Amino acid sequence: MSTLRWRKPATIAGALVLTVALGGVVATNHEVQEKLGLAEEPGANMPWHPREFMEMAAGESSEEAGEEAFEARTIAEQFAQARYAPGIVAPGAYANALSQLNALPATKGTWREVTKIKYDGDDPRYRDYASNSSGGAGLVTGRMTGLAADNNGFVYAAGADGGVWRSSTGGGSWTPIADALPTLSSGDVVLAADGSLWYATGEGNTGATSFVGAGVYRLADPRTGAFKATDRVGGSELESTVINKLRFFDGKVWAATNRGLFSHAMSSGSGSWKLEFAPNPSYLPGGANAGEANAAYKNIVNDVAGDPRNAKHVVVASAWRSGDTYNGFYETADYTAGGWAKVNPTGSIPADDIGYVTFAFSADGGKLYAINQSPKLLNKPAGNVNSYLDGIYVSNNGNPAGPWSKIADSSKLGNSGSALKQTVIGKGYGPGIQAWYNQFLTVDPADPNHVWAGLEEVYESYDAGANWKTVGPYWNFGFACWNIYDAQNKCSKTTHSDQHSVAVGNGFVYVGNDGGVYRRPVHGKTDKDGHATDWQSLNDGTIDALQYYSVALGRDPAKAGTIVSGGLQDNGTSILRPGDTVMGSHFGGDGGDSQADPANGCRQVQEYTNLAMRVTENCNANPGPGTAETSTSRDIQPYTSSPGDEPARFIAPFAPDDHDANVWVAGGQHVWVNTKGYSIKDGKGWTNVFNLGAGHTATSVAVSGGTAYVGWCGPCNNAGFARGLAVGKVTDPSSWHQVTLPGDFPNRFLQGVGIDPANPSHAFVAVNGFSRRFTEGPGAGYGHVFETTDAGATWKDVSANLPDVPASSIKELSTGALVLATDLATFYRAPGATDWQRLGAGLPLTVGMDVEYNAADNSIYVATHGRGIWAFGLAQL
């Protein structure tokens, strides 16, 4: 989920056991503290080039590198906190919001998709120390959680927050075909034997970076049609669930969900889904224990498999990744007769350490394969763990009771040509370190011994797991074939990291990961190290499923037009300059918040994570050699005594003054001010002006006319949720103070602040999360936009007719108009008006994370977390 970058160690405070009530998150001890801001976040994020990293890795302690293991979970859960805190979202929340949205009037005008263009993660223009360019992933897009392919060249890909895409050419020239549905959050997409395409909404990985869905949809003719809301199968039974897998057998479709195993007849879309199995039914909605804090984690079904030799024999993997008494395998000899039994697996698989599992039967049913993530390893301190993978197993008689044989573990995979081998990356990040998050497993339909496994990398075996090759290494850095200059780089292209989905069809194996869709022949070629030489990226720019957290805008100093940049989930930071036919990636790793000088868009600040900020004054354009000495960006992460000592959220906020591009404010536990602008030399150039309080970390920052507003939370969950807002003059530390929020102000996540450019005492706060109607916990409150005219002394709810949907970012224009980005749409409130309208047409129903105004073209830009960056020209109004 997060591309590895060099990090210094974190200091972890004492132990505390809490429950994180998110869309699939429970953790304990230091892991919880790290996630919720109760202890220091991981330390300095020093961007690095692989050559320097190889030299440092030999002396790296396991504790230092081990902190990498928590990155993916931290960002996933902090991202979800905003939408859930201080409680769990109840069924019906999104459906209600969509109904309200559809009843709202829309303004004139149409959105323009800015990032519908190739995005080259290896763009040679940006071979800087802070970039991952030349790693080998090539053209990329966002996370792909579902794939399906037929034998006639049709491929279907489901983006995590991007809906379903179709290609009729075996991959490429993609068309979105699910944009009419109420959600674009994707769990799985599967082709049935009759040629119909089934789409499970609600992303199933327990990282919770996505959202619950609206059920399962069936498209009868996927080659020419598009999904409609009326294509939903069944009733409302699967609303507000996440769906891990769809499987077909015995004339039924089976859904493995976070609320148990369901089935439905394939012959008709009508009728209810039937709950076939739930290990703890009293914890389901309406059950006697439904109100308990851990209820959401008591009935997770990760996978279901139908025995090819006996369609009535059904096998289930049911478990919470951090461990629970119900974790394990279950089966029924005849599901029509009822009765499920917990399996006592024999052989080498540990019956008492079953976690997140993916199954794969061979076509003849003679072999059953499984990937198993270890809850015991997951609960160990980071410094003692190199992987969370227990192992890959095979039952050579197809029986879930085994005996099971272990055919791979982290060490074996590491020695198969992996880029994550300990001697290359260092302790703390071995194969399977994200096995709780990214897995796939499939068997060649024509060969029961030919297996593909996906973790961070792609592995292949032709002998039922006796031997493996890392056909899709994490990246090419560290291998003898690699060179930063393309003319000397002898490595073949690889896939992006973090594998989620797989399909076999038309002579190819397709893989979906955090960088999009890739394919190679079923019987592909490899080099002497076992690396595939024939991967092809299918991310040709027509599949814009990019997951942005931010957007930054500024005039290009070399030509007319605007430079558009933004931080992305596991795809670094993209940059699009006027006239470009390909976007480049000028900063690597995970991209976070970002900013640019409106007068010179090459002057930028980009964040990796946790306020690990770097500044560039030339767009970070650097064709090599990628050393620290020749870098065209500087590390400016704020710190007090040593880099990384400032607690901050994984995606931490910062912003320039609307009236002075050289005055910046950044938020961690403290409020940091920089008045040196883009000439700042290092992290000591910041001034610490205010302490938000122990355990509090900034969630939003806005600055205008020398006044700043900083929202914060801590802890950020329903086991003690707290939030607040601080206000002060950037150059006067004595002016800073906490605002007293009134009792009717929602006790929810303060995700965005917008300031009147003509009056800094006049501001608006965007409140995330759902109202009390759909959220557990005291004090959740109502409303999503609140206004102050006296710098926070008093507040007024100005939500008016807004749908009850989480709000992320708000901007007040010089005209007095307001623009608001939310989880479903971007809204507009005209000058002098009190009611809201949906802004324009054409913007997909996905999460809007950041809204910014660009004076150069009088346009609003919105960074979405699943469908790229979009622009709306205000002259259309």
Side-chain angles (χ1 to χ4, degrees), residues 482-505:
W482 175 82
N483 190 289
I484 195 170
Y485 298 108
D486 289 340
Q488 287 80 47
N489 189 351
K490 305 305 179 184
C491 295
S492 300
K493 288 290 187 180
T494 185
T495 65
H496 196 284
S497 59
D498 301 344
Q499 313 304 316
H500 294 274
S501 53
V502 62
V504 179

Side-chain angles (χ1 to χ4, degrees), residues 371-547:
I371 295 178
N372 181 39
Q373 166 261 322
S374 166
K376 290 182 178 180
L377 291 174
L378 192 70
N379 288 321
K380 283 188 175 182
N384 299 328
V385 181
N386 194 54
S387 174
Y388 297 138
L389 175 70
D390 165 54
I392 304 177
Y393 297 86
V394 63
S395 172
N396 284 308
N397 59 12
N399 191 329
W404 290 89
S405 299
K406 180 179 266 191
I407 56 176
D409 57 16
S410 183
S411 177
K412 184 174 183 177
L413 296 176
N415 288 315
S416 70
S418 169
L420 299 182
K421 185 177 179 181
Q422 181 171 319
T423 55
V424 176
I425 292 296
K427 293 180 180 179
Y429 215 97
I433 192 61
Q434 293 180 180
W436 62 271
Y437 164 70
N438 42 239
Q439 291 185 14
F440 73 60
L441 188 64
T442 197
V443 186
D444 186 340
D447 182 354
N449 295 314
H450 187 193
V451 186
W452 294 274
L455 292 164
E456 298 78 29
E457 303 171 297
V458 182
Y459 309 97
E460 182 179 34
S461 173
Y462 275 94
D463 52 16
N467 296 280
W468 294 89
K469 291 181 179 180
T470 306
V471 292
Y474 194 93
W475 51 27
N476 287 325
F477 299 140
F479 295 126
C481 57
W482 175 82
N483 190 289
I484 195 170
Y485 298 108
D486 289 340
Q488 287 80 47
N489 189 351
K490 305 305 179 184
C491 295
S492 300
K493 288 290 187 180
T494 185
T495 65
H496 196 284
S497 59
D498 301 344
Q499 313 304 316
H500 294 274
S501 53
V502 62
V504 179
N506 202 33
F508 294 95
V509 58
Y510 296 83
V511 300
N513 49 49
D514 276 7
V517 188
Y518 296 76
R519 79 173 189 187
R520 65 186 292 256
V522 166
H523 297 288
K525 297 179 180 180
T526 58
D527 61 21
K528 63 181 179 61
D529 297 313
H531 304 149
T533 60
D534 45 15
W535 283 112
Q536 179 186 0
S537 169
L538 304 180
N539 311 305
D540 61 358
T542 62
I543 184 168
D544 184 7
L546 291 166
Q547 296 175 275

Side-chain angles (χ1 to χ4, degrees), residues 625-671:
T627 63
E629 294 74 20
T630 61
S631 177
T632 56
S633 64
R634 301 185 298 278
D635 180 3
I636 59 166
Q637 181 179 21
Y639 66 93
T640 300
S641 300
S642 60
D645 66 5
E646 171 63 7
R649 293 182 64 76
F650 200 90
I651 302 298
F654 53 87
D657 192 314
D658 289 342
H659 296 278
D660 189 342
N662 289 313
V663 175
W664 311 342
V665 173
Q669 177 181 315
H670 302 86
V671 178

Side-chain angles (χ1 to χ4, degrees), residues 245-263:
K245 290 288 190 299
L246 288 182
R247 306 283 195 184
F248 302 98
F249 51 88
D250 203 33
K252 296 178 181 292
V253 56
W254 300 74
T257 83
N258 64 322
R259 295 210 302 256
L261 174 68
F262 290 80
S263 75

Side-chain angles (χ1 to χ4, degrees), residues 670-719:
H670 302 86
V671 178
W672 296 88
V673 172
N674 166 40
T675 57
K676 303 176 181 66
Y678 292 87
S679 65
I680 185 173
K681 298 300 181 184
D682 54 38
K684 293 296 288 182
W686 295 85
T687 300
N688 182 349
V689 298
F690 188 65
N691 188 347
L692 295 172
H696 300 163
T697 50
T699 57
S700 53
V701 168
V703 198
S704 184
T707 295
Y709 294 73
V710 179
W712 58 263
C713 76
C716 303
N717 72 94
N718 69 330

Side-chain angles (χ1 to χ4, degrees), residues 320-387:
W320 166 235
R321 71 183 193 205
S322 295
D324 201 302
T325 56
Y326 77 90
N327 282 25
F329 299 163
Y330 296 79
E331 69 175 340
T332 176
D334 183 354
Y335 74 88
T336 62
W340 290 80
K342 192 171 186 179
V343 176
N344 182 26
T346 61
S348 56
I349 199 166
D352 63 345
D353 195 25
I354 302 295
Y356 177 28
V357 165
T358 301
F359 285 137
F361 264 114
S362 59
D364 62 6
K367 292 180 182 292
L368 176 60
Y369 295 87
I371 295 178
N372 181 39
Q373 166 261 322
S374 166
K376 290 182 178 180
L377 291 174
L378 192 70
N379 288 321
K380 283 188 175 182
N384 299 328
V385 181
N386 194 54
S387 174

